[in-house]
Amino acid sequence: MKINQKNEVVFLTFDQWEDRAKLVAVHSTRIGGVSENGFTSMNLGFARGDNQDRVHENYRRFSEGIEVPLEKLVLSDQWHHNEILEVEASHEGMGIFKTRNYHDVDGLFTTLKELPLVTFYADCVPIYFYDPVLEAIGMAHAGWRGTASQIVLDMLRLFQKKGSQIENIEVSIGPAVCQKCYQVDQKVIDAMDFNFAIDHIITYSEEEDRYYIDLKNINKEILVHAGVLKDKIEVTHHCTACEEELFFSHRRQGNHRGTQIGVMMIRE
Ligand SMILES: [Zn+2]
């Protein structure tokens, strides 16, 4: 990923999409906002106890920095399930200026131009999908539950239902907790029940009787086994828990923390 700065706002973009002039695919950092304390400073979550006016100001700065229309943002409503909303023009502004008419949505998809999609993160895995032939975008939020229940497959199915050929689909996996920072118990390992091996991205600590897993690369494995071409999948090394300067992290900060967003949009 590349670190960009516009005015005060620092945001990340993907290397594989550097030359895609019409595609917006960015991930926020905690730099460039007006929030304070655990929310310092670019907190983009409304539901975590931060001052709402500050969060609105952060959205204003962020959307200006990445050049997307603030009033049209469509925000997900994440509950660690596999629901994906097909976003239409009628959804513009929902979750920020208008009440959502959808709930329990961990993925967003659209083929419409100038319609920015927003999903939320603070250690979970942001997964960005783009089909340059169909001109479609999608974003999926995957914690361990969404990884185990393979929300990425639901997103691929939706792209294919809309006319995508699997070999055209490009996927980028953004900042999330790294393997070293992500200790889990047996219950999580048992849930990771796939028809291929992931032993190489799970380590077990006998001392702690706990496992360490690489959620970003487990999602990559699922995508590869579903037929997405390996050279069309980018996985960032950035870790939300390791990199305190750049990111909020639930593992590091607990409940008193801000929230990052992922944004995708196709320009006209
Ligand atoms: Zn880490």
Side-chain angles (χ1 to χ4, degrees), residues 1-265:
M1 294 191 93
K2 181 183 161 204
I3 299 181
N4 310 269
Q5 180 161 10
K6 191 82 177 282
N7 306 321
E8 314 251 288
V9 178
V10 175
F11 59 97
L12 303 172
T13 51
F14 294 98
D15 300 326
Q16 72 166 339
W17 291 330
E18 194 65 19
D19 299 323
R20 298 267 190 214
K22 286 171 72 180
L23 177 68
V24 177
V26 306
H27 197 275
S28 71
T29 69
R30 61 187 297 179
I31 302 167
V34 296
S35 294
E36 293 174 352
N37 302 316
F39 306 117
T40 304
S41 62
M42 183 58 82
N43 169 40
L44 295 162
F46 285 104
R48 308 211 62 86
D50 193 4
N51 176 297
Q52 303 287 293
D53 292 340
R54 288 198 178 132
V55 182
H56 272 285
E57 172 61 13
N58 291 340
Y59 268 96
R60 194 194 62 74
R61 289 178 175 213
F62 193 74
S63 58
E64 191 178 276
I66 66 169
E67 297 174 35
V68 302
L70 173 63
E71 70 284 358
K72 291 187 176 183
L73 296 176
V74 180
L75 279 54
S76 60
D77 183 49
Q78 296 168 196
W79 289 95
H80 296 282
H81 295 129
N82 281 25
E83 289 305 313
I84 299 168
L85 175 72
E86 213 183 311
V87 178
E88 296 165 8
S90 63
H91 294 118
E92 284 178 9
M94 284 190 183
I96 175 163
F97 300 113
K98 288 184 229 166
T99 307
R100 294 172 176 91
N101 66 358
Y102 49 88
H103 296 285
D104 195 1
V105 160
D106 282 68
L108 299 173
F109 169 95
T110 197
T111 53
L112 298 176
K113 310 282 186 299
E114 297 289 317
L115 191 52
L117 312 181
V118 177
T119 50
F120 301 93
Y121 305 94
D123 291 343
C124 288
V125 186
I127 307 166
Y128 300 66
F129 296 75
Y130 178 52
D131 180 342
V133 179
L134 185 69
E135 292 201 298
I137 51 174
M139 299 189 72
H141 157 257
W144 71 261
R145 287 186 185 83
T147 302
S149 58
Q150 305 186 76
I151 188 172
V152 294
L153 295 188
D154 291 274
M155 184 65 83
L156 290 178
R157 275 183 218 115
L158 180 54
F159 270 77
Q160 287 174 303
K161 193 178 117 194
K162 295 292 168 181
S164 277
Q165 301 297 316
I166 191 97
E167 62 271 20
N168 292 333
I169 298 176
E170 303 172 356
V171 183
S172 292
I173 298 178
V177 67
C178 76
Q179 184 166 6
K180 185 168 63 70
C181 294
Y182 197 49
Q183 188 196 73
V184 298
D185 57 19
Q186 187 68 45
K187 171 185 74 171
V188 173
I189 299 302
D190 291 345
M192 301 284 164
D193 184 19
F194 307 121
N195 58 4
F196 52 86
I198 52 166
D199 302 357
H200 60 295
I201 33 183
I202 294 181
T203 55
Y204 174 66
S205 160
E206 220 162 281
E207 260 173 70
E208 300 167 305
D209 189 26
R210 288 286 186 278
Y211 296 87
Y212 290 84
I213 63 173
D214 181 345
L215 278 187
K216 285 183 281 192
N217 277 301
I218 294 174
N219 279 285
K220 179 182 176 176
E221 289 291 315
I222 298 168
L223 290 161
V224 168
H225 281 86
V228 178
L229 300 178
K230 254 186 191 157
D231 64 358
K232 294 192 175 184
I233 306 175
E234 175 176 344
V235 182
T236 183
H237 66 273
H238 282 294
C239 169
T240 46
C242 287
E243 297 171 77
E244 193 169 355
E245 297 274 293
L246 279 181
F247 303 112
F248 300 112
S249 163
H250 193 82
R251 285 259 153 166
R252 194 184 62 243
Q253 298 176 274
N255 278 324
H256 192 63
R257 51 113 179 133
T259 298
Q260 274 100 226
I261 57 171
V263 181
M264 285 193 99
M265 188 183 82

